[in-house]
Amino acid sequence: MAVEHESRQKGLNPPEPVLLPGQTYASIDEQISAIVLKRPLTPGWLFGTLLSFAFIMLLTFTIVYLIARGIGIWGVDVPVAWGFAIANFVWWIGIGHAGTLISAILLLLNQKWRTSINRFAEAMTLFAVACAGLFPLLHLGRPWAFYWLFPYPNTMALWPQFRSPLIWDFFAVSTYLTVSLLFWYQGLIPDAAAVRDRAQNPLKRLFFGIVSLGWRGSAIHWKYYESSYWLLAALATPLVVSVHSIVSMDFAVGIVPGWHSTIFPPYFVAGAIFSGFAMVLTLAIPLRKFYHLEDMVTLRHLENMGKIVLATSLVVAYGYFQETLMAWYSGDRFEWYMVQDRAFGNYSFAFWLLLLCNVVAPQTLWVRKWRTNVLWLFVLSLIVQIGMWTERVVIVVQSLHRDFMPSAWHMYYPTVWDWAALTGSLGLFAGLFFLFIRILPMIPTHEVQKLAHEREPHPERENPAAAAKARP
Amino acid sequence: MPPIEREKGKGRREEGEEKRENPGSQFPIPLHEEMDPAMDRRAFLTLLGASLALAGLSGCTLRPPDEKIVPYVHPPDADEMTPGKPLFYATACPRNGYVDGVLVTSREGRPIKIEGNLLHPASLGASDAITQATLLEMYDPDRSQQVMHRGLPGTWDAFLGEANTYMQAQRAVRGAGLRVLTGSVTSPTLVAQIRAMQAQLPAMQWHQHEPISRDNVRAGAQMAFGRYADTLYDFTQSAVIVSLDGDFLLSMPGHVRYARDYAASRRVRTKACGPGQPAREIMSRLYVAESMPTLTGTMADHRLPLRARDIENVARALAQQVGVNGVAPTEPLPPEVAEWVAVAARDLQAFRGAGVIVPGDFQPPAVHALAHAMNAALGNTGKAVRYIAPVEAEPMDQAASFRKLVQDMQAGQVQMLIILSSNPVYTSPADLDFAGAMAKVPMSVHLGLYDDETSALCQWHIPETHYLETWSDGRAYDGTTTIMQPLIAPLYDNTRSAHELLDALLVPPGRAGHDIVKTFWSGQHRGADFEAFWRKSLNDGVAAHPLSLRRRGGTELSSGASVAGQVSLQAANPTSQPGSPSPVPGGGGLELIFRPDPTIWDGRYANNGWLQELPKPLTKLTWDNAVLMSPRTAEKLGLTRQGGTPGTHPESVPVVELRYRGRSVRGPVLILPGHPDGSATVTLGYGRTRAGHVGTGAGFNAYALRTSDALWHDDGLEIVRTDDLFSLGVTHSHQTMEGRDIVRIGSITQFRKDPHNPDGKEHVPNKPPMILPEAPPLPPSEYAWGMSIDNNVCIGCNACVVACQAENNIPVVGKEQVLGGREMHWLRIDRYYTGMDMERPTGTYFMPIPCMQCEKAPCELVCPVDATLHSDDGLNMMVYNRCVGTRYCSNNCPYKVRRFNFLQYADIAPVIQLMRNPEVTVRSRGVMEKCTYCVQRIQNAKIDAEVQDRKVGGDEVQTACQQACPTNAIVFGDINQPDSQVAQLKAEPHDYPLLAELGTRPRTTYLARLVNPNPEMRAE
Amino acid sequence: MARPFPPYTNTLSRVIVFGLFVSPILIGWIATAINWSPYINETNIPRNQPVPFSHKHHVGGLGLDCRYCHTTVETTSFANIPPIHTCMTCHSQIWKDSPMLAPIRDSYASDIPVQWTRVNFVPDFVYFNHSIHVNKGIGCETCHGRVDEMPLTARGQPLMMAWCLNCHRNPERYVRPREDVFIMGYQPPENQLTLGRQLVQQYHIRKLQDCYTCHR
């Protein structure tokens, strides 16, 4: 609450509270677990789930065909030996960032507004990383030999090659996945217990009973819970930075003009948070609408996320600028040609598109009116998604298609299977998420209750009008 | 290893069968099962599927299924072969009648690689792309394997029966109704057989039809000398070379030898660098006037693109200026042409006796006559130019001969027609309706490798044995005679050679080819010990016999003044000469030029995957032919490149309709910088309808436009744009170097000033300074393999590319994959144009790009599984069986020399498997591959040396590309040994690494390209 | 409210959580063990042959030299399987009616080779060369085991890459004097290492760990 006091003293118009009044322990508990327990199947949810499952089928088919025929069904060639697959990978990993950032870093920074969104943000992280994880495997020429990237005692007496960024990737991503998973799960335990206690249906009780690992909410439980939660947060924080830095090194370590650049790690991390928060918005806005969570996911949340999107967009823009500047300043013939080609060459349309989406569009968020316009935030978040994906494609494809030897230059044309893999992974993500919101409490009950608790002593001072409204 | 005497007392067939029974222990199953003709590819695939399924089942036990191992019953003789050791046999590869000497590698009785024959004057150890690729032709699964009778399977005996009745009938009429149709023939045995036939049947007639005919050459000689004669050039002797549309580097007979000699006259060294590379800082100067860009043109110091019909005028002007009496240009020359002529003439005069004028095979006889006259007038004759009695057994005006044949057939005078290894139905000029005439011939016999367009219209088709399966003989461009020996028994039982067919017709049932050839030569041999002669001839691949004249000395034709006299008289009014095309434009319009295709020649190699996928030297086009024209002409016709239409490949080109003399075909347009304006070139050999799985349907058929009165070019072409688009598989579409330091081009004068920077530019030092501390140099090792490529003499002929493909089991991927940018050639030849205006590029330059084997290789750093890393002796190793296919190495390779198996490319047809080089792993899908410096050769050399407790010599190991190179542009060896040729070449001042600024320290380095322009000529 | 779970679930859950951590390691260990076991690399598993040829008898008993049958072992990459002809040099005289040898005689008569089951082989992408090993003082026994004690021939050594590298990395441990290469049951001297180093010098055996040594 400290934040709000100051802001009022500065005479600013009071920001939205992170929890609208009128929400008591019971109401919160009730409303959230109801989504899981009572709420009947809505046609909307059913439709969404089925649609996304259709795309999962498409993905499955693509994968089977890919394994049967070979990587050649995609548009990759020499020189453009990496195509959509890697771009999708980088993009998904990026999206996976926001979750841990929100839950870990904002937790350490004691940002209250994180509480009600962190659960599904983390879920989003997990699902995004799962989608991302698919692509490095699939894009291998011989996917069945992927485990050679892992150091194990083999009859060939061989190790993986630890100088290769792909190996770093292998470890970075798997670590990130593990920690996010633990973090997400631990946060889930008390809520699962809550649901368990409310559940009438014995099957659901059994399920949530297992999930909640016998949580009884005793003081000692909470003691351990708190300490380990903070520990995990501290552990996850460096990972947020490390993962995408290392992913960026897949490119930065290469000598390809357009890849070989020191700006990449910070620039990629920023881009990741950028697209990550955009994705959180994309999910949060419909959720609060359809499940009537406006009280817990308030405008305050949306606005804050908008601010972060704006900030990271600026960092990304700086990254673009730096790349161009260095290409010119270094006097490297190849780099400079790459920059020109990026802007005016075969793929220039993609370049201008990404500038429009990632740099120009977010500037609207300087204006509070736009920043608090839920519809615009939603649209913008989609624009940003597209922009960031385009950026990944440009980095991968455009840089490769014209590097050092003009004789080897060749275009890259995505095939129907490239698109199938992309849309399929989107379907997988959506499908998992639909299941999540049905099966698990998507908002951390106990944390929100804590907010309510902190507020208890003096509800009136918060927002008299609302308080009045709350008590008819 | 020297060629090994292979001939045995008994016929090769029997031995072959024995060999088939005993395939050599490395075969899991007996070879004859694999080669069962009854089993076609599909059947094999089903079998394969089944066996895979089985493998899958047994895979449950985690164990590989049992592998069988098959010993010999009777051990082969030691000189016959030792399992695991290659043998080398000399023979010769025929094309258009002429043969090139080759040395064929044989493993366990299977020929697996063709190299040039060191002892053969037409080869000197080198070979060309087509010769290399004929290996695949032998193993082609589409080869005809069955005697066909009216399109149905027949038997040899049935054929013999029917043929005999006709032969009897012919004997009654002294052969009046018998015709034999061949291509150009140099084989003494075959000639003897035909003569014998003529002796028995005096009224029979022998016709010749060679689609790429040399009628002009013959007619030209007739004009000059009143008799047939062949011209030989010795470019080592020449300081000034003027080519009048003469592509002596790629398409003339003897071009391999010519390329070698030409390179010798251009090679520049500051000090002697091993055999054949003396210290010399002078270059010959090459003037080329040509009607379409050719390899010879790209090497020119002064290139003059002209419409084909204008060449003759230039020839006349040149003749006038070098002092041939009574000749004058028929029409005034445009200024820049006039200047070119004047400068060339002055140069020729300055170097009397040290110059050559080379007329093009496809130019009218007058040009040849003029060239002979000029050479005579300049005293070049007898030095750089020599004349010999014709190598062909029976030179004739083939066009006339063929026309006569068709007339006779239409007149119903032909009862029996024997077509020997020729495909006239496809290749005959459009104005002669040969196909129609076939209907009037009651008994037509076709002998051919393929069941092709002609055999479809013949009563009988006899499958022909490939030259690698045949006893025969033939003569090279200079008359050198080779007795050809088979490398393997015929793969298919029903096949016959031309000798066997004729012999069977004359004296049924006929003898085996071995007996025919040997009997003939025993008849020819005058000396005492025939066996010795026979063995030596086979061993050397060069017959030690007077027939083999012009190897040393030999009968020269009269030369000098008398010739000049004759020529000047006749050449004064060449239009009256037979054979020369109408000089007056036939109804105006554009000029249409016909040329043989640089890869599939006249269409006979259309089913050869290696050649189909081989990028054509200048256009880099694969799998198709196209209508070639200059950018300006295309612009004028509104045909500039366009694409992006939905449904087509985004880089499609417009399709045009060619209307010419009332006929028309449709074909895609390809813009070729340096092509003369106002004319369009089409290459022959495409649009086959019965070529086989590979060749059928590729490209469009230019023969459909070709008429017998103007075989090579004439005006009257109309080009009409259609709305269709077509995608061409071009492997190298970018024209220029974008100002990057790739091919260094300098002049010889600048070189003499500053040999280190012949192009007079500032260059990054070969080992640029690093921000990071220098990586420690590679640990000292016993060997350090390296390669030096001399851009100055690389003529871009592609011989190395196919040699590499054959040596390293490189798959063919097909047009679709080439369009997708997935061609697999480990060694590619880059082609760059210089100059601002692609209309008249100031130069065209070639650069072979193998793996650079960088000492600091970017690819090695990024492989996650250590599938590519460095060896002690400095090789950048690629381990297929460890590769998981991340393709990161390819991305990180600045030279883009790595190739990836995006799909299952390796062909698993059983016959093709026989052709594979057992020393090289066949790569499966999902694996990266690249040039290895032919590591299998290095390793075997090492092992042999080690067994003998010695060191591998600096020049001992030869890579496949080096071995094939006609110009010795590629040299490989051990850099650690200072006396090795490669070490000396790398010490040359104009040696440079590609993209030095990247600091990759390539082991493959280049020698700068040098030109020798005439200062008198105004700079273009 | 009623507890959904009986008390023992506490233990159960602990066990499960523990297992979650342990089982991957355990599974990995088992897989590795199988991978290295003779079950996979087929060491000492006799193979059935059309004729139960006994090296024990011919080498151990009669004392035939390896090169009597495997003639090309010193000169080429491939140690050939003897032609049927070789068998018949003796077996046209002795045991010439033994039913066991019928396939040999038939093959000799009909000129159709016998198909043996292969015992020692490496994958096709491995280019093993017998001549160089034999000439550099690597005994047959070192790779093929005590053939003279095999009634039915079996693989004497695993022939896996790790096993090859073992010798390629430190040849001095295995190299023997050239004259002893074909001896079975050769006893390395106590000073094998010193002798080995000396032989490595003498035979000029160099570092052999480049992939291209075996893979091309």
Side-chain angles (χ1 to χ4, degrees), chain B residues 867-886:
Chain B
T868 180
L869 26 70
H870 230 75
S871 78
D872 282 358
D873 41 18
L875 294 180
N876 168 242
M877 303 182 288
M878 180 69 223
V879 191
Y880 314 120
N881 42 300
R882 176 67 173 171
C883 177
V884 296
T886 67

Side-chain angles (χ1 to χ4, degrees), chain B residues 646-675:
Chain B
T648 63
H649 192 272
E651 287 165 17
S652 306
V653 298
V655 174
V656 295
E657 181 173 340
L658 302 175
R659 297 191 185 142
Y660 178 72
R661 302 193 170 186
R663 300 182 186 77
S664 76
V665 299
R666 297 157 69 91
V669 170
L670 188 55
I671 292 169
L672 179 54
H675 195 288

Side-chain angles (χ1 to χ4, degrees), chain B residues 140-365:
Chain B
D140 185 348
D142 289 344
R143 259 180 68 188
S144 160
Q145 307 170 15
Q146 177 63 267
V147 176
M148 300 296 281
H149 184 222
R150 296 202 170 80
L152 300 172
T155 68
W156 170 251
D157 299 332
F159 161 73
L160 224 45
E162 188 172 337
N164 270 313
T165 53
Y166 277 92
M167 287 302 281
Q168 295 311 332
Q170 288 303 317
R171 285 204 164 76
V173 295
R174 304 174 57 253
L178 175 61
R179 300 285 187 280
V180 175
L181 177 62
T182 67
S184 305
V185 174
T186 63
S187 159
T189 308
L190 190 61
V191 178
Q193 287 181 292
I194 296 176
R195 297 241 187 278
M197 202 176 236
Q198 283 168 323
Q200 287 185 24
L201 309 159
M204 70 160 276
Q205 286 178 42
W206 172 16
H207 300 279
Q208 294 179 9
H209 165 65
E210 197 65 68
I212 311 302
S213 82
R214 303 188 78 216
D215 283 345
N216 290 334
V217 184
R218 287 182 283 263
Q222 280 282 12
M223 286 169 68
F225 315 120
R227 55 186 278 200
Y228 286 124
D230 286 1
T231 317
L232 301 184
Y233 307 102
D234 180 353
F235 296 105
T236 55
Q237 300 286 326
S238 51
V240 179
I241 306 164
V242 176
S243 158
L244 301 170
D245 213 2
D247 182 17
F248 57 87
L249 290 180
L250 194 67
S251 57
M252 277 189 193
H255 62 93
V256 174
R257 171 62 180 271
Y258 287 157
R260 171 69 54 92
D261 294 349
Y262 171 75
S265 78
R266 299 281 290 188
R267 189 173 282 113
V268 173
R269 298 284 179 266
T270 55
K271 54 188 177 315
C273 296
Q277 307 208 358
R280 67 199 295 270
E281 301 198 6
I282 52 168
M283 296 168 72
S284 65
R285 183 172 290 142
L286 174 60
Y287 297 81
V288 177
E290 60 181 2
S291 56
M292 76 162 286
T294 65
L295 294 189
T296 312
T298 62
M299 299 304 289
D301 301 301
H302 295 291
R303 177 175 177 275
L304 179 65
L306 284 176
R307 310 211 309 169
R309 54 180 287 262
D310 299 337
I311 300 275
E312 180 176 335
N313 202 33
V314 167
R316 301 172 147 279
L318 191 62
Q320 184 186 37
Q321 297 193 21
V322 299
V324 176
N325 337 338
V327 195
T330 47
E331 42 195 281
L333 301 173
E336 86 275 21
V337 178
E339 184 196 11
W340 185 91
V341 170
V343 173
R346 276 202 296 283
D347 228 354
L348 284 166
Q349 296 283 15
F351 291 91
R352 295 182 65 85
V356 197
I357 291 112
V358 185
D361 284 8
F362 313 125
Q363 279 297 322

Side-chain angles (χ1 to χ4, degrees), chain B residues 61 63 66-73 85 782 869 872 878-879 881 918-921 932 935 939 946, chain C residues 39 42 47 75 83-85 113-114 116-118 125 127 132 136 204 206-207 210-212 215-216:
Chain B
T61 72
R63 284 230 202 93
D66 278 2
E67 199 175 309
K68 293 295 176 200
I69 186 164
V70 184
Y72 288 86
V73 176
K85 278 225 179 294
E782 185 161 18
L869 26 70
D872 282 358
M878 180 69 223
V879 191
N881 42 300
E919 295 294 332
V920 178
T921 311
T932 64
V935 65
Q939 290 301 342
E946 286 293 336
Chain C
Y39 178 73
E42 301 175 24
R47 294 308 194 77
T75 55
I84 302 300
H85 186 89
V114 177
W116 304 97
T117 305
R118 212 165 171 180
F125 50 74
Y127 288 83
I132 189 67
K136 294 292 179 184
H204 188 237
R206 75 169 87 67
K207 185 155 162 283
D210 289 342
C211 314
Y212 276 167
H215 304 298
R216 304 166 189 171

Side-chain angles (χ1 to χ4, degrees), chain B residues 868-909:
Chain B
T868 180
L869 26 70
H870 230 75
S871 78
D872 282 358
D873 41 18
L875 294 180
N876 168 242
M877 303 182 288
M878 180 69 223
V879 191
Y880 314 120
N881 42 300
R882 176 67 173 171
C883 177
V884 296
T886 67
R887 309 189 295 290
Y888 200 168
C889 52
S890 170
N891 289 344
N892 222 31
C893 170
Y895 309 97
K896 287 291 172 284
V897 293
R898 289 177 161 269
R899 297 285 178 247
F900 188 70
N901 292 273
F902 288 94
L903 300 169
Q904 177 58 39
Y905 289 142
D907 191 345
I908 37 75

Side-chain angles (χ1 to χ4, degrees), chain B residues 100-112:
Chain B
D100 292 339
V102 296
L103 191 68
V104 185
T105 313
S106 162
R107 282 295 300 259
E108 284 78 43
R110 303 170 346 259
I112 60 159

